[in-house]
Amino acid sequence: MKLLKYYTKAPEVLTLCEILYKLGYNINISDSFNLKVDAAVKDFQRKNSLVVDGIVGIKTWTVLLQKNTIPVNSSDKFLKESDLVNFANQYKLELASVKAVNEIESSGKGFLINNKPKILFEGHIFWSELQERGINPNIYYNSSHKDILYPKWTKIYYQGGVKEYDRLNKAMTLGTDPKFKDAALSSASWGSFQIMGFHAKGLGYADITDFVSKMEINEGEHLKAFGKFLEKNGLLTHLRTKNWAAFAKGYNGESYRLNKYDEKLAKAYAKYSRN
């Protein structure tokens, strides 16, 4: 595992945060090694008779993984280089473009430390999905549910990593009607390419349950869903021509400007095209 310390920003920090969170540390799960992560690491080192320096090297990683009772993802879950090459050839795309989207959408990681697909739950989508199923969200709109149900997009309730499943589970059990579960599953983005659940039927899946079951298999299924999404939404041309702004808008909506998705994609593409 990569050596990590304060100020490090890397996908491996996500794994570190997920393990620390599971071990009881109240930290945000992200790819940034911030002060809270530093404090958690030092506390873990102190309690486990390690050198308390905040540096996650081989010794700290070893003890962290020993303490973590959830197995780390097995390799059969992961995309292989050959999968990406075949996909690029199938859709007549440059390999660097495919790798760029994979990196920016999920930091190149489609599964979490608990072997669940990476998700991001969207409370404003949950609002509209409930409405589509004939359920009035205003009835449930209160302070107890403000983190999972709201009328307009906001990112203030994002938790990241395994914590997103806490929000998803809370949404699924908001009511006893099975419609709540379907609406909740449809309100999360799934896997390596963060495809929203509400696209399931439009992409050819039987229903949202079928879509989620496929996302739980491996990153190869995430890649298949990505291809279907590109075809369905006419985004292949933008990806082939590297029109990052048009692709980002079609893939992430108008909010792409706020997150600078087009700039991030262009930078990632430039990196992979040099390799």
Side-chain angles (χ1 to χ4, degrees):
M1 298 292 281
K2 183 176 181 178
L3 186 145
L4 306 175
K5 58 184 178 180
Y6 182 49
Y7 272 132
T8 300
K9 186 176 177 66
E12 291 83 358
V13 180
L14 282 167
T15 300
L16 170 65
C17 290
E18 288 165 3
I19 294 174
L20 288 170
Y21 174 72
K22 180 181 175 295
L23 293 175
Y25 292 95
N26 186 23
I27 57 174
N28 291 327
I29 297 174
S30 74
D31 61 356
S32 297
F33 199 125
N34 56 33
L35 281 172
K36 284 191 174 181
V37 177
D38 183 64
V41 167
K42 288 176 179 176
D43 182 72
F44 177 83
Q45 291 173 328
R46 186 177 299 109
K47 290 177 177 176
N48 288 277
S49 302
L50 294 164
V51 175
V52 182
D53 56 8
I55 298 173
V56 184
I58 184 63
K59 292 181 181 179
T60 299
W61 269 123
T62 298
V63 180
L64 278 166
L65 293 173
Q66 287 173 347
K67 295 286 184 179
N68 177 40
T69 57
I70 294 178
V72 177
N73 302 329
S74 57
S75 60
D76 61 351
K77 291 276 189 182
F78 298 150
L79 279 176
K80 303 176 181 63
E81 181 76 7
S82 59
D83 294 327
L84 296 177
V85 170
N86 292 336
F87 181 89
N89 291 335
Q90 177 185 352
Y91 289 101
K92 296 180 174 58
L93 295 167
E94 194 173 341
L95 182 59
S97 298
V98 177
K99 287 185 174 181
V101 179
N102 183 41
E103 175 183 319
I104 299 307
E105 283 302 314
S106 64
S107 300
K109 180 181 180 184
F111 281 85
L112 302 171
I113 196 71
N114 60 357
N115 275 334
K116 287 285 190 178
K118 184 174 183 178
I119 65 168
L120 185 63
F121 184 78
E122 301 284 8
H124 69 298
I125 300 296
F126 188 41
W127 184 284
S128 61
E129 289 295 312
L130 288 176
Q131 287 180 318
E132 285 192 16
R133 290 164 174 78
I135 299 172
N136 183 1
N138 285 288
I139 297 174
Y140 304 90
Y141 185 42
N142 56 52
S143 58
S144 298
H145 308 130
K146 64 180 181 180
D147 59 330
I148 60 166
L149 184 65
Y150 34 86
K152 295 182 180 180
W153 177 84
T154 177
K155 64 179 181 180
I156 63 173
Y157 300 115
Y158 289 170
Q159 295 293 308
V162 293
K163 286 186 176 183
E164 287 299 312
Y165 276 92
D166 295 337
R167 299 175 66 220
L168 174 62
N169 291 331
K170 183 177 178 181
M172 287 195 297
T173 57
L174 185 59
T176 57
D177 191 316
K179 291 179 181 178
F180 283 91
K181 180 179 179 180
D182 283 357
L185 293 173
S186 299
S187 303
S189 56
W190 294 84
S192 301
F193 298 92
Q194 291 294 279
I195 305 295
M196 288 299 303
F198 64 76
H199 290 300
K201 283 191 175 181
L203 298 182
Y205 297 93
D207 51 31
I208 182 59
T209 302
D210 178 40
F211 172 76
V212 171
S213 68
K214 294 294 194 301
M215 296 303 99
E216 290 177 337
I217 295 174
N218 55 39
E219 291 179 349
E221 290 294 335
H222 302 176
L223 190 61
K224 290 179 185 177
F226 177 54
K228 292 177 180 182
F229 186 86
L230 294 181
E231 285 187 310
K232 180 74 175 180
N233 294 279
L235 297 177
L236 286 168
T237 298
H238 300 321
L239 201 52
R240 287 169 184 149
T241 60
K242 287 78 175 178
N243 186 339
W244 300 116
F247 177 81
K249 181 179 179 180
Y251 203 80
N252 293 288
E254 293 291 346
S255 64
Y256 84 89
R257 292 190 180 90
L258 296 174
N259 297 303
K260 298 182 179 180
Y261 277 125
D262 55 332
E263 296 177 25
K264 293 176 182 177
L265 285 165
K267 184 176 180 180
Y269 167 75
K271 176 181 69 176
Y272 288 116
S273 62
R274 289 194 298 267
N275 293 341

